[in-house]
Amino acid sequence: ATPPASRSLRGSVSLGDEAVCPGIEAHDRAWRGGAELLFDGVKKHQVTLPGQEEPWDIRNLLVWIKKNLLKERPELFIQGDSVRPGILVLINDADWELLGELDYQLQDQDSILFISTLHGG
Amino acid sequence: PPRSAPPATRRAPPPPPALGPRAVCGACFCAAFEAEVLHTVVAGRLLPPGAVVAVGASGGKDSTVLAHVLQVLAPRLGISLRLVAVDEGIGGYRDAALAAVRRQAARWELPLTVVAYADLFGGWTMDAVARSTAGSGRSRACCTFCGVLRRRALEEGARLVGATHIVTGHNADDMAETVLMNFLRGDAARLARGGGLGSPGEGGALPRCRPLQLASQKEVVLYAHFRRLDYFSEECVYAPEAFRGHARHLLKLLEAARPSAVLDLVHSAERLALAPAARPPAPGACALLDGLNRGRPRLAIGKGRRGLDEAGPPRDGEPERAPAPEAVPAF
């Protein structure tokens, strides 16, 4: 049997809050703007992370996101080895600060949501 | 402040409560947030029973949360709400935001009144103001105009709907940024005016207050998330060049080093008392419009500061440069 650390992990990475805009039509996306512009216009990504020796944590996930999902202007999303200040990270709807932030070890079917707080309201 | 924890059914139970911030589930977080706002309003006697409250609604996260929470608390407070949205005339941005406000008004079943700069201010839209104030290559001055004009527009809208009070969705981060901006620009007029939870209403203006003033920006976003509130999250097309960006950046750095910096700044401003000689009046909408109409837009905003924003007399023959607005990711 394969030890857990080298099995691939599946989950989702979401940007902004798809859940709060139910039923949004495709044509509305023309002005939705927001973070998904950095990610090829896609708000929710189903992700499979390849199995590897080291366990997957948020720190590694960000590196992976930068390499595989982020299409432009990485500095708007990532700063150093973390997210830009002002970006909230929710892991399964919980504040990542409660779960160890970058050190949180990803588990299968985890859902990671990034929400920006950096705009007027 | 309490923050969300994983739902008990999906993962291990949250860690036992420790000293400092508590880990709570989403529902408890929202309840605590609402209780905090209720306390702010009641303790500060901000909205008495019978008040007709005009809510400045931009479609953005803060005013959305504000309107939602006040609707929840309205029966307890004995107040009624009216939405007032301001159309500054910013192409490629404001129309979309107003569409969000209209959806919200329908969902909340609250009356909505829209007031436009073009109607109130003799045809001056923000796009026109931006063209008129462009050219120095430094931070945009148009945002300074917008702040003053919007304040006036909100006043007009509130009067139209017979409101007795005005509320806006400014959160603790907004207030802290404003304090920093005012200090950095030597803006004694605004520093003198800025502190406290609300203004009683200078010179006949309606009393206004900011019920979310002690809530952090993060808490506002989390509340909107857990309550599944629909809001508009694009940044104003002029925002990237606004001076506030510098203050926001500085505040984020400070917050990383000292998390209480945000609320500490707000409290400092509340306790600040300027000597009478240092308190020139802040220029109002009339002074700003006068400057615009005379082709000397920076004249009025130079007053009350050390004149750091004075670009000098307008240069004849300088071509007007319209900005090229594009949607900017909110990140």
Side-chain angles (χ1 to χ4, degrees):
Chain A
T2 335
S6 60
R7 264 209 294 265
S8 65
L9 289 174
R10 281 158 305 185
S12 70
V13 170
S14 306
L15 306 134
D17 235 331
E18 189 179 308
V20 309
C21 304
I24 191 165
E25 302 290 335
H27 69 264
D28 287 349
R29 285 174 175 258
W31 52 258
R32 277 292 309 163
E36 69 275 12
L37 290 182
L38 304 176
F39 290 83
D40 233 359
V42 179
K43 286 182 82 80
K44 184 164 185 172
H45 300 256
Q46 298 298 341
V47 160
T48 301
L49 301 173
Q52 61 176 22
E53 273 299 311
E54 323 164 14
W56 280 98
D57 57 18
I58 299 288
R59 189 178 281 103
N60 297 341
L61 176 66
L62 288 180
V63 174
W64 186 91
I65 287 175
K66 186 171 178 182
K67 204 165 122 189
N68 294 283
L69 292 184
L70 203 50
K71 297 303 175 191
E72 54 179 280
R73 305 188 66 185
E75 74 280 4
L76 290 183
F77 183 69
I78 289 184
Q79 187 172 297
D81 66 349
S82 186
V83 288
R84 186 174 163 214
I87 293 182
L88 293 195
V89 185
L90 296 184
I91 301 170
N92 302 323
D93 244 22
D95 186 345
W96 76 330
E97 284 184 37
L98 297 171
L99 298 168
E101 297 190 22
L102 292 173
D103 297 323
Y104 172 78
Q105 312 258 304
L106 294 175
Q107 300 179 48
D108 206 50
Q109 300 307 320
D110 271 351
S111 176
I112 318 294
L113 173 63
F114 299 97
I115 310 181
S116 172
T117 67
L118 298 172
H119 47 84
Chain B
R3 285 170 300 193
S4 66
T9 47
R10 295 254 305 277
R11 297 276 176 228
L19 295 171
R22 293 173 290 134
V24 295
C25 70
C28 291
F29 169 83
C30 290
F33 186 92
E34 288 160 8
E36 241 180 64
V37 175
L38 178 63
H39 175 79
T40 298
V41 170
V42 168
R45 284 177 239 234
L46 301 178
L47 303 173
V52 177
V53 181
V55 181
S58 66
K61 64 191 192 323
D62 301 300
S63 57
T64 298
V65 166
L66 174 66
H68 180 90
V69 173
L70 286 182
Q71 253 211 326
V72 168
L73 301 178
R76 241 171 302 182
L77 292 171
I79 61 175
S80 64
L81 304 176
R82 312 270 186 274
L83 297 177
V84 177
V86 175
D87 180 359
E88 308 96 336
I90 299 174
Y93 167 72
R94 188 38 83 192
D95 296 325
L98 283 177
V101 181
R102 292 197 170 93
R103 278 203 309 274
Q104 291 171 346
R107 196 169 306 131
W108 290 323
E109 292 172 0
L110 286 177
L112 167 65
T113 301
V114 180
V115 284
Y117 279 11
D119 298 330
L120 289 173
F121 305 130
W124 280 104
T125 60
M126 266 321 292
D127 286 339
V129 173
R131 283 191 293 272
S132 179
T133 57
S136 78
R138 288 183 295 204
S139 303
R140 274 205 185 270
C142 66
C143 301
T144 301
F145 280 82
C146 198
V148 177
L149 294 179
R150 189 183 310 105
R151 203 180 160 89
R152 170 66 78 86
L154 207 45
E155 182 80 29
E156 291 298 323
R159 287 194 186 284
L160 272 176
V161 301
T164 56
H165 294 73
I166 296 175
V167 294
T168 53
H170 295 87
N171 58 52
D173 294 58
D174 296 328
M175 303 302 303
E177 286 164 16
T178 300
V179 172
L180 283 177
M181 281 169 59
N182 293 339
F183 267 110
L184 289 170
R185 297 196 292 191
D187 202 331
R190 292 203 174 91
L191 272 175
R193 192 183 72 191
L197 268 176
S199 4
E202 324 139 349
L206 290 174
R208 56 175 77 199
C209 64
R210 297 165 290 235
L212 302 184
Q213 187 169 326
L214 299 178
S216 74
Q217 186 144 256
K218 173 172 169 170
E219 287 173 320
V220 170
V221 173
L222 276 179
Y223 183 88
H225 170 73
F226 286 114
R227 286 294 193 231
R228 301 287 185 254
L229 300 180
D230 166 29
Y231 61 86
F232 182 71
S233 62
E234 256 184 70
E235 195 173 42
C236 176
V237 294
Y238 297 116
E241 296 150 74
F243 185 76
R244 181 174 288 269
H246 296 292
R248 180 172 295 162
H249 180 66
L250 180 57
L251 186 66
K252 284 295 151 203
L253 291 175
L254 286 170
E255 194 182 17
R258 182 186 159 92
S260 64
V262 176
L263 278 178
D264 290 342
L265 271 168
V266 177
H267 290 312
S268 294
E270 276 174 16
R271 293 177 196 128
L272 191 66
L274 293 187
R279 276 185 270 143
C286 295
L288 264 49
L289 288 168
D290 189 44
L292 283 169
N293 287 324
R294 290 202 279 149
R296 300 201 59 188
R298 291 174 187 261
L299 197 60
I301 61 175
K303 295 183 184 142
R305 298 197 198 128
R306 282 183 56 238
L308 293 169
D309 278 25
E310 281 281 336
R315 295 186 291 259
D316 288 327
E318 191 174 54
E320 269 190 359
R321 282 201 325 260
E326 325 163 353
V328 176
F331 271 22

